Amino acid sequence: MDTHTYPVTRTDAEWRARLTPEQYAVMRGHGTERPGSCALLYEKRAGTFSCVGCDQPLFESKLKFESGTGWPSFNDPVPGSVENTVDRSYGMVRTECHCARCGSHLGHVFDDGPPPTGLRYCINGVALKFEPAA
């Protein structure tokens, strides 16, 4: 069980009131949205992708790329915004990424991305909201 405390905490009832059922299943239940199901996969404008759970800026659109996986993919998060843990579910070992401010599950990070980082942050679009640049 995760005993880490985060700057933003909410009761289960508060999370359920704030999030849609799909967002809750992904962000609090460590679920995964259906690939290709989120409109943010196709978002190409300049701006910032933030956590739906706490409004923390997570990824800049200039680091978003098309990975062909069906989920929004990024090279690198905003510094200090994302934390990683080992995910041993489904008989695999993966690196889970979650919001550093509220602990919500975002997706996973893989080492098969393009330069310059070689990383692919594969993020559930329902965990993100997009704010276009001014």
Side-chain angles (χ1 to χ4, degrees):
M1 174 168 202
D2 184 9
T3 58
H4 182 76
T5 53
Y6 297 94
V8 172
T9 58
R10 292 182 170 78
T11 66
D12 188 63
E14 289 169 332
W15 281 117
R16 289 181 185 278
R18 181 178 181 91
L19 304 173
T20 68
E22 184 181 22
Q23 288 169 330
Y24 182 87
V26 168
M27 299 174 74
R28 306 313 299 173
H30 299 261
T32 302
E33 70 188 0
R34 216 173 67 253
S37 65
C38 180
L40 290 181
L41 176 62
Y42 309 102
E43 180 59 65
K44 302 210 183 298
R45 295 175 291 170
T48 303
F49 294 85
S50 299
C51 177
V52 169
C54 70
D55 303 321
Q56 162 107 319
L58 299 170
F59 299 97
E60 296 297 329
S61 61
K62 65 185 175 192
L63 296 177
K64 184 175 184 279
F65 65 94
E66 177 52 57
S67 66
T69 61
W71 292 280
S73 296
F74 303 87
N75 278 111
D76 216 8
V78 170
S81 67
V82 173
E83 294 178 344
N84 298 330
T85 56
V86 175
D87 176 1
R88 298 182 188 282
S89 63
Y90 303 106
M92 299 181 268
V93 178
R94 300 179 290 172
T95 303
E96 176 193 354
C97 52
H98 55 272
C99 177
R101 185 184 287 167
C102 71
S104 290
H105 171 75
L106 301 172
H108 293 86
V109 60
F110 303 95
D111 61 2
D112 60 0
T117 66
L119 298 176
R120 174 174 54 95
Y121 283 82
C122 188
I123 306 299
N124 289 285
V126 297
L128 302 173
K129 64 181 180 179
F130 180 73
E131 180 70 34

